């Protein structure tokens, strides 16, 4: 924790930027970039710089996989509640799943 009144200009700038990120007024490209924003606040930045540089940069998350068991379960539950002309709108995708 930083002592009140004993922060450097760089530390105050880092705190202000992290506060903007927390409020949604600024953003980071990835986790490594966010971690770098904390460097002015740690006691041994050189140690942490090496660890942060080793982090993978993932700017876009891969799409989540589909849980087909859950999709089929939802379709079967929905199928029993649908009738008439809407029945095929549930039955056909369920058959494909």
């Amino acid at each position: 924790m930083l002592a009140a009144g004993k922060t450097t200009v760089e530390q105050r700038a880092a705190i202000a930027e992290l506060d903007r990120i927390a409020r949604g007024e600024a953003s980071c490209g990835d986790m490594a970039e966010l971690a770098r924003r904390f460097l002015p606040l740690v006691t041994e930045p050189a140690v942490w710089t090496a660890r942060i540089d080793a982090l993978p940069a993932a700017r876009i998350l891969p799409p989540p996989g589909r849980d087909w068991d859950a999709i089929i379960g939802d379709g079967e539950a929905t199928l029993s509640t649908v009738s008439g002309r809407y029945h095929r709108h549930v039955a056909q995708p369920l058959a494909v799943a």
Side-chain angles (χ1 to χ4, degrees), residues 69-82 90 94:
D69 290 335
I71 293 169
I72 292 168
D74 288 344
E76 289 172 342
T78 303
L79 190 59
S80 66
T81 65
V82 179
V90 176
L94 180 58

Side-chain angles (χ1 to χ4, degrees), residues 21-90:
I21 292 168
R23 289 191 315 262
E25 297 169 1
S27 63
C28 288
D30 57 32
M31 197 60 168
E33 183 181 333
L34 177 62
R36 280 187 196 88
R37 307 250 178 133
F38 281 90
L39 283 175
L41 307 177
V42 298
T43 55
E44 296 179 28
V47 172
W48 288 101
T49 299
R51 292 182 72 178
I52 292 168
D53 288 343
L55 290 172
R59 299 212 180 266
I60 299 174
L61 295 176
R66 291 195 168 104
D67 182 354
W68 288 107
D69 290 335
I71 293 169
I72 292 168
D74 288 344
E76 289 172 342
T78 303
L79 190 59
S80 66
T81 65
V82 179
S83 62
R85 64 183 187 166
Y86 298 109
H87 188 268
R88 68 184 170 124
H89 293 289
V90 176

